[in-house]
Amino acid sequence: MQTLIRGSLAQNSYIRMDHPEYLDPPHYDGSRLFFWVSKASGVPIDLVNFVIGQLFALLFAAIYRTAFHPSKASATKRHCAALVGGVTLLYFCFGRHAYLVMFLTGVSYFITVFFPAKYVPQIILPLSLVYMGCVHIRRQLMSQTGFSLDVSAPVMVAVQKVTSIAFAWKDGSEKDQDKLTPLQKLQAVRKIPSMLEYFSYILHFQACMTGPTVLYKDYIDYIYGTNYRKHIKSEDILEDSPCSAIPVQDPSPTKAVITKVVVSLIHALIFICICPMFSVGRFKDEEFFISTTFYQRMFYIIIVTTLARSKYYHAWLLADAICNASGLGFNGWDENGNTKWDLISNVKILDIEFATSFRDTLSSWNIGTMRWLRYVGYERATFNPTVATYILSAVWHGFYPGYYLTFVFGALLTGVGRTLRRHVRPHFQSTSSSRKIYDVLTFLGSRVALAYVTMPFVLLEFWPSVRVYSSLYWYLHVLTILALVAVPKIFPAHREKMSTKSKGVQESN
């Protein structure tokens, strides 16, 4: 019987598919109502519950958009429905472990209400990170038994929300608003949310499982129906509604929802049917290194890491579809008059898979988390913002050594990418043919680099990751360091005429 990496979150643990614990993990506390689906399909009950729970959330989203439309229901009813749906979904998937999310929410609200605004983020940020760290450690201990889907993902989402609203409340209480960045001014909260508003924001059913994270002001605009107001002319606004001004006819999310659901299900099938054929567990087998060549190993890494992204694509696209189906995520119209439903989208698949730089890949991956890191970390760092943001990102992800191997080398790759753009790219911009050659070379290089750097992120463990890199002679690490040192000397940066403003920006960097 084939060995399989049990694959939602803890990929470093694997058990045989014919083992009883494969379908029914002993530490999983979620519902067994659909265990018959698990036995019939051969898919573990935790993953079955996740998919079924999200599909029910998708159905409820459509009902919510019509039955609890701002023109028919008050903000209180909309908050209550979103909150009850979220709590039900969490309990269905995680049982009593759902209280870990609710406890963090309650403690954070208590701090927000009873502590001075300027101290609220200083307390909530470290406290929530420590709390989440304990959940991560628990996850790592449980994963040794093959435990897969646990409550750490909802806790991670909740941490983003409680910290972002803590900083928003501090920004709203700031006397000198000129100190704030444009994003901080836009998202500033000037009134403490009620308990219902706060809990609804953290636990609403659309995004309590895997995100995407929506900032508090955007969520409140959605609840009151004013999210459309930013994009619609005043004559198209309906004034006599239970909530604030809303459009006479909402833009339809049907096309966006169907597209995202179909693509999400395709990636779910890839994850279930194809990923087991390319098990990451082979990296722990010495026979793999004996029987393969350098190029075969690199090709296998590219295949494994590419397929591993399918589970994230599935989860994020389905969550985005749920948000859109409920009316959340509208972002206006494009130049052709087509509606855009990407306000809180977490991923741009084509931009990732066809990126020509590591930077472009990162900007299209886990977009909500990148926004949160910028809002909570980068813009508020008291020392090197880049380093501070990488540290925050690493702690938020957890304590698997593979994460840190990926983040540290990823920082180096970001640096070498900047160096190549500055020193090499200008030499390929003289003709259309040379630009195409540069794009092809950077595309291929990005594919190889992305696979190489994310391999530990998929494998999670330290020594197996080191073993893989050693079998590849650490070639990309060596090339990266050489590029940082040698490229500026071999390809001097082109000196172009710049305006005084541009020079000033460059010098400040």
Side-chain angles (χ1 to χ4, degrees), residues 163-229:
T163 53
S164 63
I165 196 174
F167 279 104
W169 170 231
K170 175 181 178 293
D171 294 338
S173 305
E174 177 63 55
K175 294 181 179 179
D176 187 0
Q177 292 289 302
D178 292 335
K179 293 181 179 179
L180 305 180
T181 66
L183 177 62
Q184 291 168 5
K185 289 180 181 179
L186 181 65
Q187 296 296 333
V189 174
R190 292 176 173 81
K191 176 186 176 183
I192 295 180
S194 68
M195 182 177 290
L196 176 60
E197 290 172 332
Y198 194 93
F199 273 73
S200 170
Y201 168 63
I202 306 298
L203 303 173
H204 63 95
F205 74 94
Q206 297 98 321
C208 64
M209 294 288 290
T210 59
T213 295
V214 54
L215 296 177
Y216 179 75
K217 286 289 289 295
D218 293 331
Y219 180 72
I220 291 299
D221 285 345
Y222 159 73
I223 288 293
Y224 281 88
T226 57
N227 56 321
Y228 299 111
R229 196 178 198 176

Side-chain angles (χ1 to χ4, degrees), residues 351-393:
D351 290 351
I352 291 172
E353 300 302 335
F354 294 97
T356 57
S357 71
F358 191 65
R359 179 194 62 179
D360 292 343
T361 301
L362 289 180
S363 64
S364 301
W365 172 266
N366 205 354
I367 299 170
T369 296
M370 294 299 177
R371 187 192 307 117
W372 171 72
L373 289 171
R374 173 192 166 196
Y375 181 65
V376 170
Y378 189 87
E379 292 186 350
R380 306 176 193 273
T382 55
F383 62 98
N384 189 306
T386 302
V387 174
T389 303
Y390 268 105
I391 292 174
L392 177 59
S393 177

Side-chain angles (χ1 to χ4, degrees), residues 160 206-207 210-215 218 253 256-257 259-261 312-313 315-325 328-332 339-352 361-372:
Q160 290 190 3
Q206 297 98 321
T210 59
T213 295
V214 54
L215 296 177
D218 293 331
V257 170
T259 301
K260 291 173 182 178
V261 169
Y312 297 101
Y313 293 159
W316 288 338
L317 285 173
L318 186 55
D320 198 13
I322 294 169
C323 291
N324 295 166
L328 179 59
F330 178 67
N331 198 25
T339 55
K340 296 190 298 182
W341 289 89
D342 59 356
L343 178 66
I344 54 175
S345 294
N346 232 358
V347 65
K348 298 178 181 178
I349 297 177
L350 294 181
D351 290 351
I352 291 172
T361 301
L362 289 180
S363 64
S364 301
W365 172 266
N366 205 354
I367 299 170
T369 296
M370 294 299 177
R371 187 192 307 117
W372 171 72

Side-chain angles (χ1 to χ4, degrees), residues 195-364:
M195 182 177 290
L196 176 60
E197 290 172 332
Y198 194 93
F199 273 73
S200 170
Y201 168 63
I202 306 298
L203 303 173
H204 63 95
F205 74 94
Q206 297 98 321
C208 64
M209 294 288 290
T210 59
T213 295
V214 54
L215 296 177
Y216 179 75
K217 286 289 289 295
D218 293 331
Y219 180 72
I220 291 299
D221 285 345
Y222 159 73
I223 288 293
Y224 281 88
T226 57
N227 56 321
Y228 299 111
R229 196 178 198 176
K230 305 171 185 176
H231 311 284
I232 297 177
K233 298 178 182 179
S234 58
E235 58 265 25
D236 295 328
I237 297 296
L238 181 65
E239 298 295 343
D240 54 345
S241 61
C243 297
S244 298
I246 58 173
V248 175
Q249 184 174 5
D250 292 353
S252 173
T254 303
K255 182 178 179 181
V257 170
I258 292 175
T259 301
K260 291 173 182 178
V261 169
V262 169
V263 177
S264 173
L265 293 178
I266 289 173
H267 283 286
L269 291 175
I270 291 173
F271 179 64
I272 293 172
C273 301
I274 301 179
C275 282
M277 302 177 187
F278 298 91
S279 171
V280 72
R282 289 196 65 190
F283 293 138
K284 301 178 182 181
D285 186 358
E286 192 63 28
E287 178 62 28
F288 171 75
F289 301 102
I290 297 173
S291 61
T292 57
T293 65
F294 174 92
Y295 296 105
Q296 288 173 330
R297 290 174 209 140
M298 194 61 233
F299 181 73
Y300 191 79
I301 289 173
I302 293 174
I303 296 297
V304 168
T305 53
T306 299
L307 291 174
R309 291 194 288 275
S310 61
K311 66 179 179 181
Y312 297 101
Y313 293 159
H314 161 66
W316 288 338
L317 285 173
L318 186 55
D320 198 13
I322 294 169
C323 291
N324 295 166
S326 69
L328 179 59
F330 178 67
N331 198 25
W333 290 266
D334 62 19
E335 60 276 8
N336 298 318
N338 300 312
T339 55
K340 296 190 298 182
W341 289 89
D342 59 356
L343 178 66
I344 54 175
S345 294
N346 232 358
V347 65
K348 298 178 181 178
I349 297 177
L350 294 181
D351 290 351
I352 291 172
E353 300 302 335
F354 294 97
T356 57
S357 71
F358 191 65
R359 179 194 62 179
D360 292 343
T361 301
L362 289 180
S363 64
S364 301

Side-chain angles (χ1 to χ4, degrees), residues 446-458:
S446 296
R447 295 307 90 204
V448 173
L450 181 62
Y452 186 96
V453 72
T454 57
M455 181 276 300
F457 193 95
V458 174

